[in-house]
Amino acid sequence: MFHSFYKTKEWAFWAYGGGALLILCLWMQVEMSVAINTWYGDFYNLLQTAADYKDKPDEGIALFFSKLIGFDYLINNFEGQPSFLIIAFPYVLLAIITNWFTRIYGLRWREAMTFNFIPRWRTVEDEIEGASQRIQEDCNRFARIVESLGLQVVRAIMTLIAFIPILWDFSSKVDIPIIRDIEGSLVWGSLLVSVGGLLISWLVGIKLPGLEYNNQRVEAAFRKDLVLAEDNKEQYAKQETLFELFTGIRFNYHRLYWHYGYFDLWLNIYDQFMVIVPYLIMGPGLFTGLITLGTMVQISNAFQKVHGGFALFLHNWTTITELRSIYRRLHEFEHNLRRFEKPVLDSPQSV
């Protein structure tokens, strides 16, 4: 899986050159996120003091719109505070390009795995269970999930690098006994609730990987009978056999959905609680005058960014469960190839 893409000269340019380009794009997006977080402070402070402009509303309204869609930052040779439009438009454009290239990157990875498996599989005389599904479907799903999850992991790491110092500095504005005496309390609090949530998620969803794996086995058996029936319906398209196979699929899905049900219950409760955590910690400071509304919004945004980075695996637990199941099947397939394959004298050239 990894060797065919990252340890071959044929795919080195895509694997490492493409990976470096993705990392650069992600870092630029993270820097724009930091700029937006800074913009939040000025904008919400303006809203907090809106009543000060009641005798000069035109000035206040002009300032309001300049914060949102103004071009002064460009006119003044990139000096001052950029408007939301100046930050957000390049961010959206870069995000579109990054997502497009990430999909191409995942497709190349799938291509590398496919071209590695096919010539090896052709030399195998023994039957390998679900070989066609492993080469066609599992390679595709593995590449797509790794493409998506890998992008999130890199983005999360960069987000943590950028936002942890910001959140650490804001920790000095905590005005709750005991917590205010802990240096970097907001960072440690975010880490604590994220790790705790991950551990609970692991316990709640401990049966999911095995259920996903078993589900794919019954799906493969059903698919195999249907494929064989395309050439010989009398022998393979027996109604009672297909109904029996689908009954097994239905039983597995009901069991899988039940376990996903209580996992989703836990995850939704956790996510809703995390929305109010920064307000519970920082809210009192609004009433003591320690922080302004703009600072509160900045802290809330930075806290969610840091928490999101720490809790990446928690929020992608179902995807990781599916990936673990696919990895297990592909690993077994590679193991069987090594057991049964014969040396390949002439392998077809990749396109």
Side-chain angles (χ1 to χ4, degrees), residues 218-258:
V218 294
E219 286 279 15
F222 184 63
R223 184 188 297 107
K224 180 180 179 180
D225 218 64
L226 290 174
V227 171
L228 293 174
E230 291 181 355
D231 297 324
N232 191 340
K233 287 189 176 63
E234 291 186 2
Q235 182 176 353
Y236 292 103
K238 296 178 180 180
Q239 184 169 296
E240 60 274 12
T241 302
L242 292 176
F243 282 5
E244 182 181 350
L245 289 171
F246 192 83
T247 299
I249 292 174
R250 184 178 62 187
F251 173 79
N252 275 275
Y253 269 113
H254 276 297
R255 187 168 56 169
L256 183 64
Y257 292 159
W258 163 250

Side-chain angles (χ1 to χ4, degrees), residues 92-112:
V92 171
L93 183 62
L94 184 60
I96 293 171
I97 295 173
T98 303
N99 290 337
W100 171 80
F101 187 75
T102 301
R103 296 184 182 102
I104 298 298
Y105 188 81
L107 179 61
R108 295 303 185 192
W109 194 342
R110 177 191 176 184
E111 186 177 352

